Amino acid sequence: MYSTGTASGPKATLQALATFATSAGFTIDFNNTYSGVGWWLAVHKGSCYLNFVADTGDTQITLYGATGYNSANSYSAQPGTSPNSYNICNSGAGPYTGYHFFSTTGAAAYLHVVIEKSAGIFAHFQGGALNAIGSAAPCVYIQATSWQYSSGYASYPDIGGNNMPWSYSYPQGWVGVTVDSTFRWFKPGSSSPARAVWPHQANGLAFNGMQRSPNVFNGLAAFFPIQNFVERAAGNLWAYVGDAPDIRLVNMKNNNPKDEITIGSDTWKIFPMIANNPNTTIYGSTSPSSGNYALAFRKNA
Amino acid sequence: MSTQTGTATSYLDLLNQLRAFLTGVGSAGAPSFAGTGTGTMSGVTCYPGTKTETITVKCTSAATPGAEVWSVTGSVSGALANATTGVAYTSAEIGFTINAGATNFAVNDQFTIATTQGAMSAAGSAWTELAKNSTPYSGQPGANDTVDFETYLKAPGLSGTEAIYLNIRAFHYTSGDYYNFELRGAQGYNASNAFTAQPGISPAAYVYLWNQSTPYWFIANGQRVIVVAKVSTVYEMFYMGKFLPYGTPGQYPYPVAIGGCGYSSSDLRFSDTSYSHLAFFDPNGLLVCDSANAWQLFQNFNTGGSMAQSPYNNVWPYCYCSSDRPNWMSANLDGTYSVFPVRLEQTSPAPSVLGELDGVGFVTGNSNSSESTVNDGTNNWMVVQNVFRTAADNYCAVKMA
């Protein structure tokens, strides 16, 4: 399912998201102002618990995954909560040109959000549970963009400080899985044994494929599944635990933001990670560019 | 998809059994006899037209001893042409010869033969052997080599109406103690042309076998064949035929891949442990026909053992990024295994992600071993190592059912 609209900023976006989440089968655990922050939205569907927090200045959204909800606790102290780092979507103050919400009324639990900060400039935040493999659980994830929108590095797609969802090199998010009897939050670059392998941005399983896409023979870009591997307790090994539902990595060289692609009976909507600006890696430029990095979201899930 | 497992007595027997399998040749049990004559039935032969049925061969006239007339009836095929003692009999369904004995056959004497349709014929995906050549010749592919047999095969594709040209020749060099196959893709067949001069022919890929007993696995459909041959303790493999392209037939008309366990060296022995001896799924040389009908080389390693990265064309995920390989992957958390597609990622002559091999996947070798079976929830896959290699990133999975 898909919804779009406009919002005055992070708080209004979360308020709209609460309505959308309800229609996607989420239960609202909390949806109000809260001490020290501007707005706190707590939702769950099955064992996927997500907390979205707008700051008092209404300039960013902070994400926490969790394994439960306790009304006595704050947004950052929920059962099994994810770390309070690498969890901010610096969407900036509104008003936003628009938001785009993606989810499903099916069994999968996820809320994927794209904010169009201003024309052609985007931010992302996501929460959900992976399509789990091999009895992995609960596989709750949070993901976001965190970008140097106005610094001299705004046009650098592959540099620290410009973080993307599902990035191997510059991650901005976590996935929570019970591995070898211990529940942990994983991401690339964490200390062992809490490391993850994610698919792209300067490295990762899909990086070369992304660079070799789109195809010259038909102009089409492959859709790469977002595969998650998490570290085992010992042995310097990683297990596949599943892919993110209804979202794919795409090289959007031949696409424009918000293009829709039909594959069979499915419609996918493409958004750049930040901006599809061809003028990349220009020091001093304050025109953001995330190169051809993009995500496709299934619109009809 | 059809499969056949068995043991070949030699590299040539392996090729003969493969030809029979691909062309859908059936099989027959030993004939049984009831009656008074003491003659025999010999030379029972099956064909692509062989059905799963009982063939009854019944004497209808014994007027001329030694030239009795026999009716031939299939329980499914119905009445076939009559046979005569002493004359080789051939129909689309079966062939045999009835031999006279000391005691003449009598009317109502009867042979029965149980026949089984070939798997590829039963699946409606049998290939055609356009030509074969069993006349040996020397000096190819290497100066010391003798070619023993050539076969020119045409696969019908999954549609049944395609023409996929795939050629194999068996050769050997006794002093070098190697008995190998050369694999070639082509884009047509010309009976006037030599093996190496067929229309649109690919460069050669090689499989390194021996002249001894060889357990094998054949897995095929209308568009490709995968062969696994266990030679001593190493696993030789090859893939010939179409893969699954990321494009329509109009965009990518002939997505064919030809891969063995070697590319540039015809004269290797199966026991070779160099980087010239690599399976097609993590290759030194996999030949892929691109969208412009030109053959491109895909390689994850050069012959020196260095990982081949851009501008090379790679096979994912074995060679997925910079210097990284998936040697870190364990089994799933519950001990099951996931199978990942094997993707053809092209850098040169132009970047493209061409598609996936059909029926071959990546599986981690961690706590895994060749010939084990993994199930991905839908299909059974057989695990096979890369020739002699047994590190975690040296395995593939072949879809068996």
Coordinates of all heavy atoms in Angstrom, one line a residue, chain B residues 149-224:
Chain B
F149 N 35.9 -38.4 -30.7 CA 34.5 -38.3 -31.1 C 34.1 -36.9 -31.1 O 34.5 -36.1 -30.2 CB 33.7 -39.1 -30.0 CG 32.3 -39.5 -30.5 CD1 32.1 -40.7 -31.1 CD2 31.3 -38.6 -30.3 CE1 30.8 -41.0 -31.5 CE2 30.0 -38.9 -30.7 CZ 29.7 -40.1 -31.4
E150 N 33.2 -36.6 -32.0 CA 32.6 -35.2 -32.0 C 31.1 -35.4 -32.0 O 30.5 -36.3 -32.7 CB 32.9 -34.5 -33.3 CG 34.4 -34.2 -33.6 CD 34.6 -33.6 -35.0 OE1 33.7 -33.8 -35.8 OE2 35.7 -33.1 -35.2
T151 N 30.4 -34.6 -31.3 CA 28.9 -34.6 -31.4 C 28.5 -33.1 -31.5 O 29.0 -32.2 -30.9 CB 28.3 -35.2 -30.2 OG1 26.8 -35.2 -30.3 CG2 28.6 -34.6 -28.9
Y152 N 27.5 -33.0 -32.4 CA 26.9 -31.6 -32.7 C 25.4 -31.7 -32.2 O 24.6 -32.4 -32.9 CB 27.0 -31.3 -34.2 CG 28.4 -31.3 -34.7 CD1 29.1 -32.4 -35.0 CD2 29.1 -30.1 -34.8 CE1 30.4 -32.4 -35.5 CE2 30.4 -30.0 -35.2 CZ 31.1 -31.2 -35.6 OH 32.4 -31.2 -36.0
L153 N 25.1 -31.0 -31.2 CA 23.8 -31.1 -30.6 C 23.0 -29.8 -30.8 O 23.6 -28.7 -30.8 CB 23.9 -31.4 -29.1 CG 24.6 -32.7 -28.7 CD1 25.1 -32.7 -27.3 CD2 23.6 -33.9 -29.0
K154 N 21.7 -30.0 -30.8 CA 20.8 -28.8 -30.9 C 19.8 -28.9 -29.9 O 19.0 -29.9 -29.8 CB 20.2 -28.7 -32.3 CG 19.3 -27.4 -32.5 CD 18.8 -27.3 -33.9 CE 17.6 -28.2 -34.1 NZ 16.8 -27.9 -35.3
A155 N 19.7 -28.0 -29.0 CA 18.7 -28.0 -27.9 C 17.5 -27.1 -28.4 O 17.7 -26.1 -29.0 CB 19.3 -27.4 -26.6
P156 N 16.3 -27.6 -28.0 CA 15.1 -26.9 -28.5 C 14.7 -25.7 -27.7 O 13.7 -25.0 -28.0 CB 14.0 -28.0 -28.4 CG 14.5 -28.8 -27.2 CD 16.0 -28.8 -27.2
G157 N 15.4 -25.4 -26.6 CA 15.0 -24.3 -25.7 C 13.8 -24.7 -24.9 O 13.2 -25.8 -25.0
L158 N 13.4 -23.8 -24.0 CA 12.2 -24.1 -23.1 C 10.9 -24.0 -24.0 O 9.9 -24.5 -23.6 CB 12.2 -23.1 -22.0 CG 13.4 -23.2 -21.0 CD1 13.2 -22.2 -19.9 CD2 13.5 -24.6 -20.5
S159 N 11.0 -23.2 -25.0 CA 9.8 -23.1 -25.9 C 9.6 -24.3 -26.8 O 8.5 -24.5 -27.3 CB 9.9 -21.8 -26.8 OG 11.0 -22.0 -27.7
G160 N 10.7 -25.0 -27.0 CA 10.6 -26.2 -27.9 C 10.8 -25.8 -29.3 O 10.9 -26.7 -30.2
T161 N 10.9 -24.5 -29.6 CA 11.1 -24.1 -31.0 C 12.4 -23.3 -31.3 O 12.6 -22.8 -32.3 CB 9.9 -23.1 -31.4 OG1 10.0 -22.0 -30.5 CG2 8.6 -23.8 -31.2
E162 N 13.3 -23.3 -30.3 CA 14.5 -22.6 -30.4 C 15.6 -23.5 -31.0 O 15.4 -24.7 -31.2 CB 15.0 -22.1 -29.1 CG 14.0 -21.1 -28.5 CD 14.1 -21.0 -27.0 OE1 15.2 -20.7 -26.5 OE2 13.1 -21.2 -26.3
A163 N 16.7 -23.0 -31.3 CA 17.8 -23.7 -31.9 C 19.1 -23.3 -31.1 O 19.6 -22.2 -31.4 CB 18.0 -23.6 -33.4
I164 N 19.6 -24.1 -30.2 CA 20.7 -23.7 -29.4 C 21.8 -24.8 -29.8 O 21.6 -26.0 -29.5 CB 20.4 -23.8 -27.9 CG1 19.2 -22.9 -27.6 CG2 21.6 -23.3 -27.1 CD1 18.5 -23.2 -26.3
Y165 N 22.9 -24.3 -30.3 CA 23.9 -25.2 -30.9 C 25.0 -25.4 -29.9 O 25.7 -24.4 -29.5 CB 24.4 -24.6 -32.2 CG 23.3 -24.5 -33.3 CD1 22.6 -23.3 -33.4 CD2 23.0 -25.6 -34.1 CE1 21.6 -23.2 -34.4 CE2 22.0 -25.5 -35.0 CZ 21.3 -24.3 -35.2 OH 20.3 -24.2 -36.1
L166 N 25.2 -26.6 -29.5 CA 26.2 -27.0 -28.5 C 27.0 -28.2 -28.9 O 26.4 -29.3 -29.2 CB 25.5 -27.2 -27.2 CG 24.6 -26.1 -26.7 CD1 23.6 -26.5 -25.7 CD2 25.4 -24.9 -26.3
N167 N 28.3 -28.0 -29.0 CA 29.1 -29.1 -29.6 C 30.2 -29.6 -28.6 O 30.7 -28.8 -27.9 CB 29.8 -28.6 -30.9 CG 28.8 -28.0 -31.9 OD1 27.6 -28.5 -31.9 ND2 29.2 -27.0 -32.6
I168 N 30.5 -30.9 -28.6 CA 31.4 -31.4 -27.7 C 32.3 -32.4 -28.5 O 31.9 -33.1 -29.4 CB 30.8 -32.3 -26.6 CG1 29.7 -31.4 -25.8 CG2 31.8 -32.8 -25.6 CD1 28.9 -32.3 -24.9
R169 N 33.6 -32.3 -28.2 CA 34.5 -33.4 -28.8 C 35.4 -33.9 -27.7 O 35.8 -33.2 -26.8 CB 35.3 -32.9 -30.0 CG 36.3 -31.9 -29.7 CD 37.1 -31.6 -31.0 NE 38.0 -30.5 -30.9 CZ 38.8 -30.0 -31.8 NH1 38.8 -30.5 -33.1 NH2 39.7 -29.0 -31.6
A170 N 35.5 -35.3 -27.7 CA 36.4 -36.0 -26.7 C 37.7 -36.2 -27.4 O 37.8 -36.6 -28.5 CB 35.7 -37.3 -26.3
F171 N 38.8 -36.0 -26.6 CA 40.1 -36.2 -27.1 C 41.0 -36.7 -26.0 O 40.7 -36.7 -24.8 CB 40.7 -34.9 -27.7 CG 40.9 -33.8 -26.7 CD1 42.1 -33.6 -26.0 CD2 39.8 -33.0 -26.4 CE1 42.2 -32.5 -25.1 CE2 39.9 -31.9 -25.4 CZ 41.2 -31.7 -24.8
H172 N 42.2 -37.2 -26.4 CA 43.1 -37.8 -25.4 C 44.5 -37.7 -25.8 O 44.8 -37.5 -27.0 CB 42.7 -39.2 -25.0 CG 43.2 -40.2 -26.1 ND1 42.5 -40.4 -27.3 CD2 44.3 -41.0 -26.2 CE1 43.1 -41.3 -28.0 NE2 44.3 -41.6 -27.4
Y173 N 45.4 -37.8 -24.8 CA 46.8 -37.9 -25.1 C 47.3 -38.9 -24.1 O 47.5 -38.6 -22.9 CB 47.5 -36.5 -24.9 CG 49.0 -36.6 -25.1 CD1 49.6 -37.3 -26.1 CD2 49.8 -35.9 -24.2 CE1 51.0 -37.3 -26.3 CE2 51.2 -35.9 -24.3 CZ 51.8 -36.6 -25.4 OH 53.2 -36.6 -25.5
T174 N 47.6 -40.1 -24.6 CA 47.9 -41.2 -23.7 C 49.1 -40.9 -22.8 O 49.1 -41.2 -21.6 CB 48.1 -42.5 -24.5 OG1 46.9 -42.7 -25.3 CG2 48.3 -43.7 -23.6
S175 N 50.2 -40.4 -23.4 CA 51.4 -40.2 -22.7 C 51.2 -39.1 -21.6 O 51.9 -39.1 -20.6 CB 52.5 -39.7 -23.6 OG 52.8 -40.8 -24.6
G176 N 50.3 -38.2 -21.9 CA 50.0 -37.2 -20.9 C 49.0 -37.6 -19.9 O 48.7 -36.9 -18.9
D177 N 48.4 -38.8 -20.1 CA 47.4 -39.4 -19.2 C 46.3 -38.4 -19.0 O 45.8 -38.3 -17.9 CB 48.1 -39.8 -17.9 CG 47.1 -40.7 -17.1 OD1 46.3 -41.4 -17.7 OD2 47.2 -40.7 -15.8
Y178 N 45.8 -37.8 -20.1 CA 44.6 -37.0 -20.0 C 43.6 -37.4 -21.0 O 44.0 -37.8 -22.2 CB 44.9 -35.5 -19.9 CG 45.5 -34.9 -21.1 CD1 44.8 -34.6 -22.3 CD2 46.9 -34.5 -21.1 CE1 45.5 -34.0 -23.4 CE2 47.5 -33.9 -22.1 CZ 46.8 -33.6 -23.3 OH 47.4 -33.1 -24.4
Y179 N 42.3 -37.3 -20.6 CA 41.2 -37.8 -21.5 C 40.1 -36.7 -21.3 O 39.4 -36.8 -20.3 CB 40.8 -39.2 -21.1 CG 41.9 -40.2 -21.1 CD1 42.8 -40.3 -20.1 CD2 42.1 -41.0 -22.3 CE1 43.8 -41.2 -20.1 CE2 43.1 -41.9 -22.3 CZ 44.0 -42.0 -21.3 OH 45.0 -42.9 -21.3
N180 N 40.0 -35.8 -22.2 CA 39.3 -34.6 -21.9 C 38.2 -34.3 -22.9 O 38.1 -34.9 -24.0 CB 40.2 -33.4 -21.9 CG 41.3 -33.5 -20.8 OD1 41.2 -34.3 -19.9 ND2 42.4 -32.7 -20.9
F181 N 37.3 -33.4 -22.5 CA 36.3 -32.9 -23.4 C 36.6 -31.4 -23.8 O 37.0 -30.7 -22.9 CB 34.9 -32.9 -22.8 CG 34.2 -34.2 -22.6 CD1 33.0 -34.3 -21.9 CD2 34.8 -35.4 -23.1 CE1 32.4 -35.6 -21.7 CE2 34.2 -36.6 -22.9 CZ 33.0 -36.7 -22.2
E182 N 36.3 -31.1 -25.0 CA 36.3 -29.7 -25.5 C 34.9 -29.3 -25.7 O 34.1 -30.0 -26.4 CB 37.1 -29.5 -26.7 CG 37.1 -28.1 -27.2 CD 38.0 -27.9 -28.5 OE1 38.9 -28.8 -28.7 OE2 37.7 -26.9 -29.2
L183 N 34.4 -28.2 -25.2 CA 33.1 -27.7 -25.3 C 33.0 -26.4 -26.1 O 33.9 -25.5 -25.9 CB 32.5 -27.3 -23.9 CG 32.8 -28.3 -22.8 CD1 32.3 -27.7 -21.4 CD2 32.2 -29.6 -23.0
R184 N 32.1 -26.4 -27.0 CA 31.9 -25.1 -27.9 C 30.5 -24.8 -28.0 O 29.6 -25.7 -28.3 CB 32.5 -25.4 -29.3 CG 34.0 -25.7 -29.3 CD 34.8 -24.5 -29.4 NE 36.2 -24.8 -29.8 CZ 37.1 -24.0 -30.3 NH1 36.7 -22.7 -30.5 NH2 38.3 -24.4 -30.5
G185 N 30.2 -23.6 -27.9 CA 28.9 -23.1 -28.3 C 29.0 -22.6 -29.7 O 30.1 -22.3 -30.2
A186 N 27.9 -22.6 -30.4 CA 27.9 -22.1 -31.8 C 26.5 -21.4 -32.1 O 25.6 -21.4 -31.2 CB 28.1 -23.2 -32.8
Q187 N 26.4 -20.7 -33.2 CA 25.2 -20.0 -33.5 C 24.6 -20.6 -34.8 O 23.8 -20.0 -35.5 CB 25.5 -18.5 -33.6 CG 25.9 -17.9 -32.3 CD 26.5 -16.6 -32.4 OE1 26.2 -15.8 -33.3 NE2 27.4 -16.3 -31.5
G188 N 25.0 -21.8 -35.1 CA 24.4 -22.5 -36.3 C 25.2 -23.8 -36.5 O 26.1 -24.1 -35.7
Y189 N 24.8 -24.6 -37.5 CA 25.5 -25.8 -37.8 C 25.7 -25.9 -39.3 O 24.8 -25.7 -40.1 CB 24.8 -27.0 -37.3 CG 25.4 -28.3 -37.8 CD1 26.6 -28.7 -37.3 CD2 24.8 -29.1 -38.8 CE1 27.2 -29.9 -37.8 CE2 25.4 -30.2 -39.3 CZ 26.6 -30.6 -38.8 OH 27.2 -31.7 -39.3
N190 N 27.0 -26.1 -39.7 CA 27.3 -26.3 -41.1 C 28.0 -27.6 -41.3 O 29.1 -27.8 -40.8 CB 28.1 -25.1 -41.6 CG 28.3 -25.2 -43.1 OD1 28.3 -26.3 -43.7 ND2 28.5 -24.0 -43.7
A191 N 27.4 -28.6 -42.0 CA 28.0 -29.9 -42.1 C 29.3 -29.9 -42.9 O 30.1 -30.8 -42.8 CB 26.9 -30.8 -42.8
S192 N 29.5 -28.8 -43.6 CA 30.7 -28.8 -44.4 C 31.9 -28.2 -43.6 O 33.0 -28.3 -44.0 CB 30.5 -27.8 -45.6 OG 29.5 -28.3 -46.4
N193 N 31.6 -27.7 -42.4 CA 32.7 -27.1 -41.6 C 33.2 -28.0 -40.6 O 32.5 -28.9 -40.0 CB 32.1 -25.8 -41.0 CG 31.9 -24.7 -42.0 OD1 32.0 -24.9 -43.2 ND2 31.5 -23.6 -41.5
A194 N 34.4 -27.8 -40.2 CA 35.1 -28.6 -39.2 C 34.5 -28.2 -37.8 O 33.8 -27.1 -37.7 CB 36.6 -28.4 -39.2
F195 N 34.9 -29.0 -36.8 CA 34.4 -28.7 -35.5 C 34.7 -27.3 -35.0 O 33.9 -26.6 -34.4 CB 35.1 -29.7 -34.5 CG 34.6 -29.6 -33.1 CD1 33.5 -30.3 -32.6 CD2 35.4 -28.8 -32.2 CE1 33.1 -30.2 -31.3 CE2 35.0 -28.7 -30.8 CZ 33.8 -29.4 -30.4
T196 N 35.9 -26.8 -35.4 CA 36.3 -25.5 -34.9 C 35.9 -24.4 -35.8 O 36.3 -23.2 -35.6 CB 37.9 -25.5 -34.8 OG1 38.4 -25.9 -36.0 CG2 38.3 -26.4 -33.6
A197 N 35.2 -24.7 -36.8 CA 34.8 -23.7 -37.8 C 33.3 -23.6 -38.0 O 32.8 -23.2 -39.1 CB 35.5 -23.9 -39.2
Q198 N 32.6 -24.0 -37.0 CA 31.1 -23.9 -37.1 C 30.7 -22.4 -37.0 O 31.4 -21.5 -36.4 CB 30.5 -24.7 -35.9 CG 30.6 -26.2 -36.1 CD 30.0 -26.7 -37.4 OE1 28.8 -26.4 -37.6 NE2 30.7 -27.4 -38.2
P199 N 29.5 -22.1 -37.5 CA 29.1 -20.7 -37.5 C 29.0 -20.1 -36.1 O 28.4 -20.7 -35.2 CB 27.7 -20.8 -38.2 CG 27.7 -22.0 -38.9 CD 28.6 -23.0 -38.2
G200 N 29.5 -18.9 -35.9 CA 29.4 -18.2 -34.6 C 30.0 -19.0 -33.5 O 29.5 -18.9 -32.3
I201 N 31.0 -19.7 -33.7 CA 31.6 -20.6 -32.7 C 32.2 -19.9 -31.5 O 32.8 -18.8 -31.7 CB 32.6 -21.6 -33.3 CG1 32.8 -22.8 -32.3 CG2 33.8 -20.9 -33.7 CD1 33.6 -23.9 -33.0
S202 N 32.1 -20.4 -30.4 CA 32.7 -19.8 -29.2 C 34.1 -20.3 -29.0 O 34.5 -21.3 -29.7 CB 31.9 -20.3 -27.9 OG 32.2 -21.6 -27.6
P203 N 34.9 -19.6 -28.2 CA 36.2 -20.1 -27.8 C 35.9 -21.4 -27.1 O 34.8 -21.7 -26.7 CB 36.8 -19.1 -26.9 CG 36.1 -17.8 -27.3 CD 34.7 -18.2 -27.7
A204 N 37.0 -22.2 -26.8 CA 36.9 -23.5 -26.2 C 36.9 -23.4 -24.7 O 37.6 -22.6 -24.1 CB 38.0 -24.4 -26.7
A205 N 36.1 -24.3 -24.1 CA 36.2 -24.6 -22.7 C 36.5 -26.1 -22.6 O 36.2 -26.8 -23.5 CB 34.9 -24.2 -22.0
Y206 N 37.1 -26.4 -21.5 CA 37.5 -27.8 -21.3 C 37.1 -28.4 -20.0 O 36.9 -27.8 -19.0 CB 39.1 -27.9 -21.4 CG 39.6 -27.4 -22.7 CD1 40.1 -26.1 -22.9 CD2 39.6 -28.2 -23.9 CE1 40.6 -25.6 -24.1 CE2 40.1 -27.7 -25.1 CZ 40.6 -26.5 -25.2 OH 41.0 -26.0 -26.4
V207 N 36.9 -29.8 -20.1 CA 36.7 -30.6 -18.9 C 37.7 -31.7 -18.9 O 38.0 -32.3 -19.9 CB 35.3 -31.2 -19.0 CG1 34.9 -31.8 -17.6 CG2 34.2 -30.2 -19.4
Y208 N 38.3 -31.9 -17.7 CA 39.4 -32.8 -17.6 C 39.0 -34.1 -16.9 O 38.7 -34.1 -15.7 CB 40.5 -32.0 -16.8 CG 40.8 -30.7 -17.4 CD1 40.5 -29.5 -16.7 CD2 41.4 -30.6 -18.6 CE1 40.8 -28.3 -17.2 CE2 41.6 -29.3 -19.2 CZ 41.3 -28.2 -18.5 OH 41.6 -27.0 -19.1
L209 N 39.0 -35.1 -17.7 CA 38.5 -36.4 -17.3 C 39.5 -37.5 -17.2 O 40.7 -37.2 -17.2 CB 37.3 -36.8 -18.2 CG 36.2 -35.7 -18.3 CD1 35.3 -36.0 -19.5 CD2 35.4 -35.7 -17.0
W210 N 39.1 -38.7 -17.1 CA 40.1 -39.8 -17.2 C 39.4 -41.0 -17.9 O 38.2 -40.9 -18.3 CB 40.6 -40.2 -15.8 CG 39.6 -40.8 -14.9 CD1 38.2 -40.9 -15.0 CD2 39.9 -41.3 -13.6 NE1 37.6 -41.5 -13.9 CE2 38.6 -41.7 -13.0 CE3 41.0 -41.5 -12.8 CZ2 38.5 -42.3 -11.7 CZ3 40.9 -42.1 -11.6 CH2 39.7 -42.5 -11.0
N211 N 40.2 -42.0 -18.1 CA 39.7 -43.2 -18.9 C 39.3 -44.3 -18.0 O 39.6 -45.5 -18.3 CB 40.7 -43.6 -19.9 CG 40.1 -44.5 -21.1 OD1 38.9 -44.3 -21.4 ND2 40.9 -45.3 -21.7
Q212 N 38.7 -44.0 -16.9 CA 38.3 -45.0 -15.9 C 36.9 -44.8 -15.4 O 36.2 -43.8 -15.9 CB 39.3 -44.9 -14.7 CG 40.7 -45.2 -15.0 CD 41.6 -45.3 -13.8 OE1 41.2 -45.9 -12.8 NE2 42.7 -44.6 -13.9
S213 N 36.4 -45.6 -14.5 CA 35.1 -45.5 -14.0 C 34.8 -44.1 -13.5 O 35.6 -43.6 -12.6 CB 34.9 -46.6 -12.9 OG 33.6 -46.5 -12.4
T214 N 33.6 -43.5 -13.9 CA 33.3 -42.2 -13.5 C 31.9 -42.0 -13.1 O 31.0 -42.0 -14.0 CB 33.6 -41.2 -14.7 OG1 35.0 -41.4 -15.2 CG2 33.4 -39.8 -14.4
P215 N 31.6 -41.9 -11.8 CA 30.2 -41.5 -11.4 C 29.8 -40.2 -12.0 O 30.7 -39.3 -12.1 CB 30.3 -41.5 -9.9 CG 31.5 -42.3 -9.6 CD 32.5 -42.1 -10.7
Y216 N 28.6 -40.1 -12.4 CA 28.2 -38.8 -13.0 C 26.8 -38.4 -12.6 O 26.0 -39.3 -12.2 CB 28.3 -38.9 -14.6 CG 27.3 -39.9 -15.2 CD1 25.9 -39.5 -15.4 CD2 27.6 -41.1 -15.6 CE1 25.0 -40.3 -15.9 CE2 26.7 -42.0 -16.1 CZ 25.4 -41.6 -16.3 OH 24.5 -42.5 -16.8
W217 N 26.5 -37.2 -12.8 CA 25.1 -36.6 -12.7 C 24.9 -35.8 -13.9 O 25.6 -34.9 -14.2 CB 25.0 -35.7 -11.4 CG 25.2 -36.4 -10.1 CD1 24.2 -36.8 -9.3 CD2 26.5 -36.8 -9.5 NE1 24.8 -37.5 -8.2 CE2 26.2 -37.5 -8.3 CE3 27.8 -36.7 -9.9 CZ2 27.1 -38.0 -7.4 CZ3 28.8 -37.2 -9.1 CH2 28.4 -37.8 -7.8
F218 N 23.8 -36.0 -14.6 CA 23.3 -35.2 -15.7 C 22.1 -34.5 -15.3 O 21.1 -35.1 -14.8 CB 23.0 -36.1 -17.0 CG 24.1 -36.9 -17.5 CD1 23.8 -38.1 -18.3 CD2 25.4 -36.5 -17.4 CE1 24.8 -38.8 -18.8 CE2 26.5 -37.3 -17.9 CZ 26.2 -38.4 -18.6
I219 N 22.0 -33.2 -15.6 CA 20.8 -32.4 -15.2 C 20.5 -31.5 -16.5 O 21.4 -30.7 -16.8 CB 21.0 -31.5 -14.0 CG1 21.5 -32.4 -12.8 CG2 19.7 -30.8 -13.6 CD1 23.0 -32.4 -12.6
A220 N 19.4 -31.7 -17.0 CA 19.1 -31.0 -18.3 C 17.7 -30.6 -18.4 O 16.8 -31.2 -17.9 CB 19.6 -31.8 -19.5
N221 N 17.5 -29.5 -19.2 CA 16.1 -29.2 -19.7 C 16.3 -28.8 -21.2 O 17.3 -29.2 -21.8 CB 15.5 -28.1 -18.9 CG 16.3 -26.8 -18.9 OD1 17.1 -26.6 -19.8 ND2 16.2 -26.0 -17.8
G222 N 15.3 -28.2 -21.7 CA 15.4 -27.9 -23.2 C 16.4 -26.9 -23.6 O 16.7 -26.8 -24.7
Q223 N 17.0 -26.2 -22.6 CA 17.9 -25.1 -23.0 C 19.3 -25.2 -22.5 O 20.2 -24.5 -22.9 CB 17.3 -23.7 -22.6 CG 17.3 -23.5 -21.1 CD 16.9 -22.1 -20.7 OE1 16.6 -21.3 -21.6 NE2 16.8 -21.7 -19.5
R224 N 19.5 -26.2 -21.5 CA 20.9 -26.3 -21.0 C 21.1 -27.6 -20.4 O 20.2 -28.3 -20.0 CB 21.3 -25.1 -20.1 CG 20.3 -25.0 -18.9 CD 20.7 -25.9 -17.7 NE 19.8 -25.8 -16.6 CZ 19.3 -26.8 -15.9 NH1 19.5 -28.0 -16.3 NH2 18.5 -26.6 -14.9

